[in-house]
Amino acid sequence: MKIIGIALVVLGIGLAIWGYQLSGSVGSQITQAVTGSDTDKVMTFYIAGAVSFVVGVYLSLKK
């Protein structure tokens, strides 16, 4: 279970970084300028990354 937890932590960090990179794209910046919020795709990556990270930390630290 610890290996799965570590893999989920790495996956969560990767998804968050990927979402951050997507937020810097031209299309995302235009959407932010018009609507004032991130696109749904960026928010999906942020949320999936956070959930994966938290579950991974829990599984890694669970005895």
Side-chain angles (χ1 to χ4, degrees):
M1 288 305 271
K2 289 189 186 269
I3 294 173
I4 294 172
I6 293 169
L8 285 173
V9 168
V10 171
L11 178 67
I13 293 170
L15 286 172
I17 291 171
W18 194 2
Y20 178 73
Q21 288 177 344
L22 282 175
S23 70
S25 69
V26 173
S28 182
Q29 288 182 353
I30 291 172
T31 302
Q32 277 182 322
V34 173
T35 64
S37 64
D38 287 324
T39 61
D40 290 340
K41 188 174 184 179
V42 171
M43 291 307 296
T44 302
F45 278 105
Y46 283 154
I47 292 169
V51 169
S52 177
F53 181 80
V54 169
V55 171
V57 167
Y58 173 76
L59 290 176
S60 296
L61 298 178
K62 183 179 161 186
K63 290 185 179 183

